[in-house]
């Protein structure tokens, strides 16, 4: 089974990486707590956005494909339940 491509999300992931590095710099520089917390919230929101896009693609591609294969749909449902429980 082939997997969907998520390469279009790499720029967003790189931006998140930059945000996290910026937060580390803020901490090292002793910036105000609320400023750090605001940046943490922004990074968390950006991660949630990327996560939602990957989940949507998984449902639209992987789960849809599994519906055509009798034994695979139960596996995909179990995967979704497991990942949702981690949230």
């Amino acid at each position: 089974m082939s997997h969907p491509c998520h390469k279009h999300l790499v720029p967003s992931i790189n931006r998140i990486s930059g945000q996290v590095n910026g937060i580390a710099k803020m901490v090292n520089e002793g910036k105000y707590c609320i400023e750090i917390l605001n940046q943490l919230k922004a990074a968390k929101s950006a991660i949630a956005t990327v996560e939602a896009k990957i989940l949507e693609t998984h449902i639209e591609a992987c789960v849809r494909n599994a519906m055509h294969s009798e034994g695979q749909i139960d596996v995909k449902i179990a995967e979704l339940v497991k990942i949702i429980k981690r949230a």
Side-chain angles (χ1 to χ4, degrees):
M1 178 178 160
S2 67
H3 299 284
C5 180
H6 301 288
K7 288 182 182 181
H8 66 283
L9 295 172
V10 170
S12 296
I13 294 167
N14 289 338
R15 220 173 358 266
I16 293 165
S17 177
Q19 284 179 296
V20 172
N21 289 334
I23 293 166
K25 183 178 176 186
M26 291 175 74
V27 170
N28 285 328
E29 292 174 352
K31 297 290 183 181
Y32 184 51
C33 303
I34 295 299
E35 292 175 14
I36 296 169
L37 289 168
N38 281 332
Q39 292 306 309
L40 285 166
K41 289 281 190 184
K44 185 176 176 181
S45 176
I47 290 170
T49 298
V50 170
E51 177 186 18
K53 288 176 181 177
I54 292 174
L55 178 60
E56 181 179 355
T57 300
H58 177 70
I59 292 168
E60 289 175 350
C62 302
V63 174
R64 185 183 311 267
N65 287 340
M67 293 174 117
H68 302 294
S69 175
E70 190 117 352
Q72 286 297 306
I73 191 64
D74 291 334
V75 171
K76 296 301 175 193
I77 290 171
E79 287 175 347
L80 285 173
V81 169
K82 186 176 178 181
I83 199 75
I84 291 169
K85 283 184 176 180
R86 285 190 202 158

